[in-house]
Amino acid sequence: MNRQDFTLSHESFSRDYDLLLLALQASKSGIIITDNRQLDNPITFANQAFEEMSGYKHNEIIGRNCRFLQGTDREQEGRYVLGDAVRKGEGCIVELRNYKKNGTRFWNELYMAPVKDKDGSVTHFIGVQNDITRRKNAESTLLAERELLERNVRERTRHLKESEDYLRTIIETLREALLVLDKDMTVLSANAFFYATFALTPEQVIGKSLYEAGNGEWNLPELKNILEVVLPANNPFEGFEMTNDFKERGRKDLILNARRIEVDGNYKDRILLALQDVTENKANETRKDDFLSIASHELRTPLTTVQGYMQLAELLLQEDDKQTAIETLNKGYEYVSKLNNLISDLLDVSRIQAKHMQLNKTEFEFDDMIRSCVETVQVGIKTHQIQVDGKVGTLFTGDKERLEQVMVNLLQNAAKYSPGSDLVKVIVTTISGFIKVSVTDTGVGIGKEDQKKVFERFYRVQETQKDFAGIGIGLYVCDTIIREHQGTLWVDSEIGKGSTFSFTLPFTSKQ
Ligand code: ADP
């Protein structure tokens, strides 16, 4: 019995049916027919192509359920779709991982259609199958390549993000104002120090042209000229100096450096612009220059006066006027001692700079020290009355001479900077373990900004310096002495109304 006879022996078929059967046999697609009326839906027909496709012989196929092609690989989505269709008696198309007899896996694209009798019951299923392994392989290679590509892109993005984060962290921590510009000079980012230095917000800067950013302070033709060649000619610049008035921050001296950014071969069309605020340095330099000329002037004036008195005394001696000569020499001594004080102050500054100010601590009556300072200063000041209120009433351990120096300085300043008034008040109190001394005048006063700076070396208030002699080191030395005693020196003042310089000293400041 041949195959056809075996599989179709229970059917009655015509000549046309024979032809159809031959066509099935000739098909390049694997075709099977299963009998749904029999237990476990067995295969009742398989064509030649199916045998070739599966590697199984005809007798190894007939009578079995199609699942034998899946071997143990049962967890497949297609199988559930197929099972569902069989149960419902519907057609379906699925892709299944099947296994040839020799174990080789192949992808089977299965078209399955039910055959129903006149009552609508499913009698058979016809399965047309094609080996789509090649297509599947091509698809999975494509998928693998795409995944690889995506992984590479992800890796690269991560790497870029990491280096960007790294860069951002560095930029944020730098104490230098930084801007990143694109090729059109649009500001892409700015660091925190930039915003703090110029008192600007991101809205005033980001996405704007540098020349319009802030209040247009960077709209300078010379800056434009050099910035615009940074990228095209890869021509960085350093040390571009500019001075401008910034709306919120006043006049600023800046030094600008710019270069093309390049991190791992990225961002080549960006410019990193660093803006260094050198206002303070410049002011310090100017202050030093001013100090030199003021100090030489302050030294020369008493020296010339002493010279004059000496010449006069010489003349008086030649004229035998001893009494007037002695008086003249005494006046000369006054200037010599002024010179002496000035030189001591200068020496103090260099000692402080070299951190060599040493305190010579002893135990002394604090109130006596204050009284003696007031008396000494009062002798030299005829214009003002120095009035003392309050007392400490105990001994204090500290450097008496240095603290006298502070008191004398504050008292002399109070009188010097209050030419229109006649009273200087000193208040001495004790507050929870501290001595507090305040020296109040009703003089020219000091503006808020200057109040912070008067304790700096060589600092003198601009508005008043031409009217009052001085070299701007007295308060700097006082501040150091008080700090060396673990105390604090500060000023409360209002322009035109006067100033109160106060200091506190802890009782525990022993060494
Ligand atoms: P100098 O008086 O030699 O300039 P100081 O260090 O004592 O130096 O003072 C620094 C600056 O502080 C002064 O130049 C002055 O502008 C200001 N100043 C100090 N004391 C007073 C005061 N009592 N009233 C107003 N301004 C003062």
Side-chain angles (χ1 to χ4, degrees), residues 10-151:
H10 301 299
E11 307 289 336
S12 65
F13 53 89
S14 63
R15 179 93 193 117
D16 287 350
Y17 198 88
D18 267 348
L19 275 174
L20 279 176
L21 202 60
L22 285 172
L24 290 183
Q25 281 300 0
S27 169
K28 288 280 166 218
S29 302
I31 298 173
I32 53 166
I33 298 173
T34 65
D35 189 345
N36 196 38
R37 294 161 307 180
Q38 296 190 49
L39 189 68
D40 206 22
N41 204 2
I43 301 172
T44 53
F45 171 84
N47 72 350
Q48 190 69 37
F50 184 80
E51 285 179 34
E52 281 159 17
M53 192 174 155
S54 66
Y56 288 97
K57 295 231 165 49
H58 187 253
N59 59 348
E60 292 168 319
I61 298 168
I62 302 303
R64 300 180 78 170
N65 181 286
C66 290
R67 79 176 76 86
F68 83 101
L69 285 173
Q70 291 151 19
T72 51
D73 189 3
R74 304 282 292 148
E75 284 302 309
Q76 306 191 37
E77 198 201 325
R79 189 174 77 80
Y80 296 105
V81 178
L82 187 62
D84 211 35
V86 170
R87 243 183 329 275
K88 290 181 182 156
E90 291 171 353
C92 70
I93 304 173
V94 289
E95 287 177 0
L96 293 167
R97 284 188 302 275
N98 283 174
Y99 295 84
K100 295 180 192 246
K101 192 182 171 188
N102 66 7
T104 315
R105 194 178 81 168
F106 70 99
W107 276 98
N108 186 358
E109 187 185 56
L110 168 67
Y111 293 82
M112 199 207 52
V115 179
K116 295 181 179 170
D117 62 15
K118 58 181 185 314
D119 303 326
S121 305
V122 179
T123 57
H124 297 83
F125 283 101
I126 300 174
V128 180
Q129 10 222 332
N130 285 299
D131 183 344
I132 55 160
T133 311
R134 270 229 224 122
R135 194 187 86 200
K136 276 296 218 188
N137 285 349
E139 271 175 18
S140 65
T141 315
L142 210 66
L143 198 72
E145 274 172 7
R146 207 172 60 206
E147 268 173 12
L148 187 72
L149 199 72
E150 277 172 7
R151 203 169 51 236

Side-chain angles (χ1 to χ4, degrees), residues 29-293:
S29 302
I31 298 173
I32 53 166
I33 298 173
T34 65
D35 189 345
N36 196 38
R37 294 161 307 180
Q38 296 190 49
L39 189 68
D40 206 22
N41 204 2
I43 301 172
T44 53
F45 171 84
N47 72 350
Q48 190 69 37
F50 184 80
E51 285 179 34
E52 281 159 17
M53 192 174 155
S54 66
Y56 288 97
K57 295 231 165 49
H58 187 253
N59 59 348
E60 292 168 319
I61 298 168
I62 302 303
R64 300 180 78 170
N65 181 286
C66 290
R67 79 176 76 86
F68 83 101
L69 285 173
Q70 291 151 19
T72 51
D73 189 3
R74 304 282 292 148
E75 284 302 309
Q76 306 191 37
E77 198 201 325
R79 189 174 77 80
Y80 296 105
V81 178
L82 187 62
D84 211 35
V86 170
R87 243 183 329 275
K88 290 181 182 156
E90 291 171 353
C92 70
I93 304 173
V94 289
E95 287 177 0
L96 293 167
R97 284 188 302 275
N98 283 174
Y99 295 84
K100 295 180 192 246
K101 192 182 171 188
N102 66 7
T104 315
R105 194 178 81 168
F106 70 99
W107 276 98
N108 186 358
E109 187 185 56
L110 168 67
Y111 293 82
M112 199 207 52
V115 179
K116 295 181 179 170
D117 62 15
K118 58 181 185 314
D119 303 326
S121 305
V122 179
T123 57
H124 297 83
F125 283 101
I126 300 174
V128 180
Q129 10 222 332
N130 285 299
D131 183 344
I132 55 160
T133 311
R134 270 229 224 122
R135 194 187 86 200
K136 276 296 218 188
N137 285 349
E139 271 175 18
S140 65
T141 315
L142 210 66
L143 198 72
E145 274 172 7
R146 207 172 60 206
E147 268 173 12
L148 187 72
L149 199 72
E150 277 172 7
R151 203 169 51 236
N152 285 346
V153 169
R154 271 200 305 274
E155 267 293 295
R156 189 92 195 99
T157 316
R158 190 177 58 82
H159 183 66
L160 276 181
K161 200 168 154 7
E162 270 173 15
S163 52
E164 207 176 301
D165 284 350
Y166 179 62
L167 199 69
R168 191 173 302 125
T169 316
I170 295 177
I171 285 175
E172 280 306 315
T173 41
L174 281 183
R175 304 283 297 157
E176 192 170 5
L178 294 173
L179 290 178
V180 177
L181 310 173
D182 72 4
K183 60 181 187 323
D184 304 318
M185 304 305 139
T186 303
V187 182
L188 298 179
S189 58
N191 69 346
F193 200 71
F194 174 88
Y195 294 124
T197 307
F198 299 104
L200 291 172
T201 59
E203 292 73 46
Q204 294 172 285
V205 180
I206 303 297
K208 296 203 168 178
S209 156
L210 172 72
Y211 311 125
E212 289 157 14
N215 297 291
E217 292 90 348
W218 290 282
N219 190 9
L220 307 170
E222 313 90 287
L223 179 61
K224 244 184 204 174
N225 286 344
I226 52 170
L227 255 181
E228 270 153 32
V229 294
V230 171
L231 286 182
N234 190 13
N235 195 6
F237 67 80
E238 276 179 12
F240 175 83
E241 288 184 32
M242 65 171 271
T243 300
N244 215 336
D245 282 316
F246 288 85
K247 199 171 165 212
E248 301 293 334
R249 290 282 190 247
R251 202 162 188 75
K252 274 201 177 294
D253 298 304
L254 304 177
I255 291 186
L256 271 54
N257 301 332
R259 59 177 52 255
R260 191 175 74 163
I261 300 180
E262 199 170 336
V263 181
D264 288 349
N266 293 299
Y267 315 114
K268 278 185 191 157
D269 58 346
R270 310 270 165 90
I271 297 175
L272 180 68
L273 179 65
L275 308 101
Q276 212 183 332
D277 183 359
V278 291
T279 317
E280 197 54 24
N281 300 6
K282 272 222 160 169
N284 274 339
E285 269 171 37
T286 322
R287 230 186 275 166
K288 259 188 207 161
D289 292 345
D290 288 353
F291 165 76
L292 278 179
S293 66

Side-chain angles (χ1 to χ4, degrees), residues 409-410 413-418 439 441 443-446 453-456 458-462 464-465 468-477 491 493 498-501:
N409 226 310
L410 295 184
N413 273 354
K416 179 163 91 177
Y417 292 103
S418 62
V439 177
D441 65 62
V444 293
I446 305 169
K453 297 180 175 166
V454 288
F455 302 102
E456 290 174 17
F458 313 138
Y459 192 83
R460 308 198 71 222
V461 177
Q462 189 81 32
T464 50
Q465 61 173 296
F468 302 94
I471 51 175
I473 53 178
L475 287 179
Y476 170 67
V477 176
V491 63
S493 185
S499 314
T500 297
F501 281 85

